[in-house]
């Protein structure tokens, strides 16, 4: 098999691999194979073809990937869940980090809740949402989280 045919097959295989994956994974090697194909067409020795393949693959990966990632993978899905941060909630099920239980209601929405400092909080208490971790809200007793409206004497 001639080296030109080898690089052509490698380029096609890397291109197909790129087409079936969701991210930029092998396009760099397809471009490297294209460079090596050009070197093979110019009757360059095999070692030169390999160096061209590795060099073009590395350079395109190094120079183009950061730019391409910005455009290809810049898909942030807004969920509006962050609107609950800083809001007041009512504990509907005792919050106990050790037992791994606790729920709060925030504007009618039910959330799994945990405390930041592992102190249990009984049902019926008011808490303030500090942050979201996965599908849980991390809370502190209302007024204890530095909320100026709740901390008034």
């Amino acid at each position: 098999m001639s080296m030109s045919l080898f690089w052509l097959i490698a380029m096609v295989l890397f291109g197909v691999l790129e087409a079936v994956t969701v991210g930029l994974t092998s396009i760099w090697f397809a471009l490297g194979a294209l460079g090596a194909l050009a070197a093979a067409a110019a009757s360059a020795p095999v070692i030169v073809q390999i160096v061209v393949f590795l060099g073009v693959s590395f350079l395109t990966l190094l120079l183009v990937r950061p730019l391409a990632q910005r455009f290809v993978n810049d898909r942030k899905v807004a969920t509006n869940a962050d609107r609950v941060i800083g809001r007041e909630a009512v504990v509907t099920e005792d919050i106990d980090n050790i037992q791994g239980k606790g729920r709060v209601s925030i504007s009618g929405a039910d959330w799994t809740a945990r405390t930041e400092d592992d102190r249990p909080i009984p049902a019926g208490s008011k808490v303030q949402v500090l942050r979201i971790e996965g599908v849980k809200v991390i809370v502190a007793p209302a007024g204890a989280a530095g909320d100026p409206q709740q901390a008034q004497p």
Side-chain angles (χ1 to χ4, degrees):
M1 173 166 65
S2 74
M3 288 308 292
S4 295
L5 182 60
F6 172 81
W7 291 117
L8 181 63
I9 291 170
M11 184 176 68
V12 169
L13 289 176
F14 284 126
V16 168
L17 182 63
E18 181 65 35
V20 298
T21 58
V22 292
L24 296 171
T25 55
S26 62
I27 190 70
W28 324 111
F29 304 114
L31 294 171
L34 178 63
L37 177 62
S43 301
V46 173
I47 191 70
V48 172
Q49 295 172 34
I50 293 171
V51 168
V52 168
F53 170 74
L54 294 174
V56 170
S57 297
F58 180 73
L59 283 176
T60 55
L61 179 65
L62 184 69
L63 299 174
V64 180
R65 189 170 197 270
L67 295 173
Q69 286 288 77
R70 227 178 289 165
F71 295 107
V72 173
N73 291 334
D74 194 29
R75 297 183 194 116
K76 294 182 182 175
V77 178
T79 62
N80 294 328
D82 59 341
R83 289 192 292 170
V84 302
I85 297 173
R87 305 268 310 266
E88 189 174 90
V90 176
V91 178
T92 57
E93 176 187 326
D94 293 348
I95 301 174
D96 188 334
N97 291 5
I98 295 170
Q99 293 182 5
K101 67 177 194 168
R103 299 195 79 74
V104 296
S105 177
I106 308 166
S107 301
D110 185 55
W111 285 80
T112 302
R114 299 293 180 265
T115 59
E116 184 170 50
D117 57 8
D118 291 334
R119 286 186 299 168
I121 300 176
S125 301
K126 291 189 178 191
V127 293
Q128 184 176 6
V129 177
L130 302 176
R131 65 183 178 276
I132 298 172
E133 290 183 3
V135 295
K136 294 185 274 287
V137 290
I138 307 301
V139 299
D147 183 4
Q149 293 177 342
Q150 299 294 327
Q152 294 177 358

